[in-house]
Amino acid sequence: MTNSVSGQAEPYVYRHPTQVAGLTWKNPVGTASGTFKLDACGDFYDVAQLGAISTKGVSPVPWEGNPSPRTAESPSGMVNAVGLQNPGVDEYLVNELPRLKALGAFVITNVAGHCDDDYAQVVAQLADSPADMLEINISCPNVTHGGMSVGTDPKALYQLIARLRNMTSKPIIVKLTPNVTDITQVARAAVDGGADALSLINTLVGMRIDIRTGRPIIANVTGGVSGPAIRPIALACVWKVRQALPDIALIGIGGIDSAQAALEFLYAGANAVEVGAAALVDPVAPVRIARELDTLLDQRPELAQRLEKGQTWQH
């Protein structure tokens, strides 16, 4: 399955790596949290071809997630309210993380919680695990406590990240919500607390209504909007944070469905990108985009050289 995207006889060798919080990704493309299917993606492509895999949120105990229906289509995107369904950190450590590591890409474990103690418990259990990076999810709009309520309060966010920073030497990524007045304020709070990198953006709050019944389509009423419709918003957020924080590593997320879209984020100041909704439509999208981006970077040696050195595009 190594070459199912290209049909080539030999594994594809990327020419343009990037640096994210001290780790060298073989290319600037990873998968966004909640969109990588452990039991399916390996059937479509060699997962080791990715820069990194970000897992679904991992909580202290198993979460059932929100009731169905959980998803609805929207113009140029989708609305989802899965609610961070997961088997809990104990199950993740025993059964999922070893399988993810065996796939050969860097593993970013996404950490979820309802309160600060939840995040601390998961980070404590992951501190000595094989996970390569930890992504603190303080921006999910689909849980009633924790999640976005922390990510919109700079003081609370600083306190949480400072607490977690003291618990692990692993690189900490903080995933930011766009559902704030000024994303640079929460970005700075995360960095001041000890974040090594920021990933942005998580989904925007949205909803759909079934006009036959007059009722919301998804059971949670509101959900997170993703897909190409949010790309201009995501780009603006990456740009703003890059201007405010020139030295922090940034992972751009939001409606990336092509190499050209990924390139926009790199020119906005991102060190890397993650593919989310596009992979739910086309499972091979992350690898396809990574390979096409490799060719686009051939034609942009100044940008490629900056990424390889851990630098970003400067305007």
Side-chain angles (χ1 to χ4, degrees), residues 40 42 64 70 138 149 151 159 178 232 239 254 266 275 285 288 291 296 301-302 308:
E64 294 184 357
R70 297 172 167 183
I138 44 76
S149 65
Q159 293 174 340
W239 172 275
L266 299 181
V275 177
R288 171 178 54 79
R291 294 184 184 182
L296 292 182
E302 184 179 356
E308 187 170 356

Side-chain angles (χ1 to χ4, degrees), residues 197-216:
L198 306 172
S199 56
L200 62 164
I201 57 175
N202 209 321
T203 55
L204 291 103
V205 176
M207 70 181 297
R208 293 295 315 281
I209 290 182
D210 186 340
I211 59 173
R212 296 169 300 178
T213 64
R215 296 174 179 172

Side-chain angles (χ1 to χ4, degrees), residues 34 43 89 105 126 137 141 147 175 204 210 274 277 288:
D43 293 336
V89 66
L126 292 168
N137 186 351
K175 190 166 187 175
L204 291 103
D210 186 340
E274 289 178 357
R288 171 178 54 79

Side-chain angles (χ1 to χ4, degrees), residues 96-234:
E96 292 196 8
L97 182 55
R99 294 170 61 199
L100 287 165
K101 285 294 296 182
L103 296 175
F106 283 133
V107 175
I108 304 171
T109 301
N110 187 279
V111 178
H114 285 312
C115 62
D116 286 11
D117 287 346
D118 281 357
Y119 290 104
Q121 179 180 333
V122 177
V123 169
Q125 290 187 246
L126 292 168
D128 296 321
S129 75
D132 297 290
M133 311 176 85
L134 304 182
E135 181 178 57
I136 312 303
N137 186 351
I138 44 76
S139 51
C140 177
N142 301 323
V143 293
T144 53
H145 301 288
M148 199 170 71
S149 65
V150 179
T152 58
D153 183 338
K155 183 178 180 180
L157 177 58
Y158 168 81
Q159 293 174 340
L160 173 62
I161 301 305
R163 177 180 177 182
L164 302 180
R165 177 71 284 167
N166 289 326
M167 300 176 65
T168 180
S169 60
K170 292 185 184 297
I172 288 180
I173 306 167
V174 177
K175 190 166 187 175
L176 302 179
T177 176
N179 298 296
V180 291
T181 302
D182 182 357
I183 195 169
T184 64
Q185 291 186 3
V186 291
R188 191 178 299 280
V191 172
D192 289 346
D196 301 288
L198 306 172
S199 56
L200 62 164
I201 57 175
N202 209 321
T203 55
L204 291 103
V205 176
M207 70 181 297
R208 293 295 315 281
I209 290 182
D210 186 340
I211 59 173
R212 296 169 300 178
T213 64
R215 296 174 179 172
I217 293 177
I218 58 177
N220 196 55
V221 180
T222 61
V225 181
S226 62
I230 73 168
R231 189 191 309 150
I233 300 167

Side-chain angles (χ1 to χ4, degrees), residues 36-54:
F36 179 81
K37 306 297 183 184
L38 176 60
D39 293 320
C41 290
D43 293 336
F44 292 98
Y45 58 82
D46 179 3
V47 178
Q49 294 282 297
L50 294 172
I53 305 164
S54 183

